[in-house]
Every structure is written in C-alpha cells, then in structure tokens.
Amino acid sequence: MARPTGQKRQAAQADIDSADASRRTRSKVTEDANHNKRRTRSSDQSPSAASAKKLTSPKTPPSAKKKFVKKGTARPVKKNAKKLNVNTSSSSSDQPAATNDSRRRSFSKVVISSGGNRNDGEASNHETEEDSPDGPSYWLMKAEPDSRIEKGKDVKFSIDDLKKASEPEAWDGVRNAAARNHMRSMLQGDMAFFYHSNCKTPGIVGTMEVVREHSVDESAFDEEHPYYDEKSTRDKPKWCVVHVEFRSKFEDPVTLKELQKYAKPGGILENMQTLKMSRLSVSKVSKKEWDFIHTLTGPEANGAPTTESAISG
C-alpha cells in the first residue's frame, strides 16, 4: 500500500537531516585530528629543541670565513692603515717612476727547478731573496772543467778557458727553463761566481761579469751541437745566452764541502740555491752570500780584491 504524499516528504526530510548530521560528525573528527597534529608540530619546535639544533649545526662566523682575492687584483686597504703610517691617499704622481732595471730586479720569489750543468733536469720549488734595485745582482754559473765528449765534441769549459778568451764568451747550452729565466733576468754589470762541476773537486774557482745581456742561443739550431733542440726554432727560439768576461781566479777555490759547512740550519749559506738544488746550472746568489764566500777564498789572482763588506765580515 503506497504512503500518503505527506509521509513521503517527512521521510525524505528525515533522511536529509541524518545525512547532514553524519557529515558534521565527520567534519568535527577531521578538524580535531588536524588540530592535534598542529599541536604536535608546535611542541617539536620548542625553544629547547631549537637551541639544541643550533648547537649541533653552528653557522660559521663571518670572521672565520676565508676571503679569496681574485688573482691579479689588489687587496683592499685595511681600515687601520693610518695606525701603520701607511699613506693611502698619495697619488701615483707623487711616486718616482720605476726604472727598467728596478722592475726587472724587483722579483722576490722565483720558482726554479733543479737541473744539470748547462743541461738541466727535474723541477723543485724554491724561494729567493729580494734584490735591491741598487747595484748589481749576483749569480752562480756552472761549467765542466774536465773533458767530456758529446756527439763527437768536447763540452769542457774551465775558468782558465774563460781567462784565455779574447772576446766575451757566450754562455750557451743551458736547456732548463728556470736556469734560462735566470739568464733572462741578468743585466749588464751583474757578477757571477764561476763554479767547476762534475769534476773531482767541485767548487767556486773565480768570478766573471755579465757584459752583454741575453740573446738567442744559436747552438740550439745546430743539429751537430751537443745541445741541439729540435723544438727550438728561429721563429720561436726557446733558449738564450749571456756574454761574460773573466774577472778573477781564486788562489784557493771554495770547495763544495766547505760551502756545505755553512749550509746547516742557522748557517749563513742555509738558503743558498746551488746547495739546495745541486743540479741547477744557473742560480741566484744574495749579496750577503756573495760577500761571505769571498772571505773564504785566498787572495784573488788576476782579479779585483774582495768587497769591503766581505773583508769586514
């Protein structure tokens, strides 16, 4: 039997009310659950927990961070420059222009490599003392006084051979980049020790003077020369020579063993390049080393006397 129309409407309304009550109940349960989750997250971020996190992963303070300066750029002037008596306001026009000689002598750290006599080898780092722009620079150059045949030619060259030369001698055959760079730094008037190497008693036997600055080493182009280098071309020459003249021969040579006595820690020759890199054929000598070594020699035969600073010690 069908329900009257009024009863149908009441039943439909009851169903709608029941559905609305069910939705409100589910919404309430979901809202309570979300509220509980928010409370849980808030408790995890308590001050004590946050402090503990900071302690476990501290940030690097700005003062501890390394500051890198791009190569070739000037470092910023410190704020306390006035306390250090640094005049940061002076213009370049107030400073005297650097001469060619002072610029070429101003290098303070030179990376050099060890090598042999006039034909050098493996690399090794070393730092040299800064030259003064006043006066000559000093060097030590090695040659072999005893006969040794290479490609059918005798490569010996001694202090006596230099003394006999009627004109400036080209110091050729250097085949090491570091030794070559030293020769490129030499100026007319620089002085050098002549060192006998690869012989029974190696050591310093005299002095010579650079009378002509570097030029192309022609021996590198000669296929019959003992030190021919096929990689050196006339368009792009790799090697150079300087011309030297005899100045003095020591009556008593300063032997390698005697030099080594003063090369111990704290010794006056502690940083002498030729003692640190025995295979380097052209090396730097400081003014202090130059003067001291002269005090170890006997009277200089056929040459200038020792310098005043060397005599006074």
Side-chain angles (χ1 to χ4, degrees):
M1 183 176 179
R3 291 184 179 180
T5 303
Q7 291 180 347
K8 287 183 179 181
R9 289 178 178 175
Q10 291 178 0
Q13 184 64 40
D15 292 340
I16 292 172
D17 294 340
S18 177
D20 289 342
S22 178
R23 280 195 299 271
R24 285 196 295 271
T25 302
R26 286 197 299 270
S27 176
K28 180 65 174 176
V29 171
T30 303
E31 184 179 351
D32 292 343
N34 291 337
H35 181 68
N36 290 335
K37 287 182 180 179
R38 286 195 294 270
R39 293 183 61 187
T40 302
R41 291 196 193 100
S42 178
S43 62
D44 290 343
Q45 297 298 327
S46 62
S48 59
S51 301
K53 187 175 181 180
K54 289 182 179 179
L55 291 174
T56 56
S57 57
K59 292 184 178 179
T60 304
S63 59
K65 293 182 179 178
K66 294 183 178 179
K67 296 182 180 179
F68 296 93
V69 179
K70 187 177 180 181
K71 186 176 181 181
T73 60
R75 294 182 179 273
V77 179
K78 295 182 178 180
K79 293 182 179 179
N80 60 347
K82 293 183 179 179
K83 295 181 180 180
L84 299 175
N85 295 323
V86 177
N87 185 5
T88 59
S89 62
S90 61
S91 63
S92 57
S93 60
D94 297 332
Q95 303 299 328
T99 63
N100 222 15
D101 289 359
S102 64
R103 282 199 301 270
R104 291 177 61 184
R105 296 187 192 280
S106 64
F107 63 93
S108 60
K109 293 183 180 179
V110 182
V111 178
I112 66 175
S113 58
S114 62
N117 304 327
R118 289 185 149 191
N119 191 17
D120 308 299
E122 300 175 356
S124 174
N125 293 336
H126 182 64
E127 295 180 358
T128 66
E129 296 180 6
E130 184 174 358
D131 278 333
S132 168
D134 301 325
S137 289
Y138 301 96
W139 310 90
L140 182 145
M141 304 172 77
K142 297 180 180 180
E144 300 179 36
D146 297 338
S147 292
R148 182 169 66 85
I149 306 301
E150 290 282 345
K151 291 186 178 181
K153 293 186 178 182
D154 195 346
V155 297
K156 87 175 192 69
F157 189 74
S158 68
I159 185 74
D160 293 326
D161 294 324
L162 179 63
K163 183 180 177 181
K164 293 175 185 177
S166 58
E167 58 185 18
E169 182 70 23
W171 199 270
D172 62 1
V174 173
R175 297 296 180 264
N176 171 268
R180 175 203 61 195
N181 291 344
H182 278 323
M183 293 170 67
R184 287 178 177 176
S185 299
M186 294 180 182
L187 300 177
Q188 183 177 355
D190 283 357
M191 298 296 294
F193 284 127
F194 196 119
Y195 185 101
H196 280 175
S197 66
N198 198 22
C199 57
K200 184 177 180 180
T201 308
I204 299 172
V205 295
T207 63
M208 52 190 175
E209 182 179 349
V210 177
V211 295
R212 195 181 307 164
E213 295 174 17
H214 71 89
S215 57
V216 174
D217 187 348
E218 295 288 334
S219 68
F221 309 135
D222 184 0
E223 294 184 8
E224 297 182 358
H225 194 278
Y227 300 127
Y228 165 70
D229 184 359
E230 61 181 5
K231 295 182 180 180
S232 181
T233 65
R234 293 193 181 276
D235 293 335
K236 294 183 178 181
K238 290 180 60 178
W239 310 111
C240 69
V241 300
V242 293
H243 286 73
V244 297
E245 282 185 349
F246 172 86
R247 287 296 175 263
S248 67
K249 179 180 178 180
F250 298 155
E251 182 175 319
D252 298 319
V254 183
T255 66
L256 173 60
K257 289 185 178 180
E258 188 169 5
L259 292 172
Q260 290 172 336
K261 292 179 183 178
Y262 302 95
K264 298 177 182 179
I268 193 168
L269 302 181
E270 177 184 8
N271 295 316
M272 192 172 183
Q273 284 186 7
T274 193
L275 300 179
K276 287 182 172 294
M277 283 142 287
S278 60
R279 296 185 61 217
L280 187 67
S281 65
V282 180
S283 58
K284 198 79 178 66
V285 177
S286 70
K287 180 66 164 61
K288 179 177 66 174
E289 293 165 347
W290 176 269
D291 288 343
F292 175 74
I293 290 172
H294 274 87
T295 67
L296 304 178
T297 70
E300 295 184 83
N302 304 307
T306 57
T307 63
E308 180 179 352
S309 56
I311 295 173
S312 63

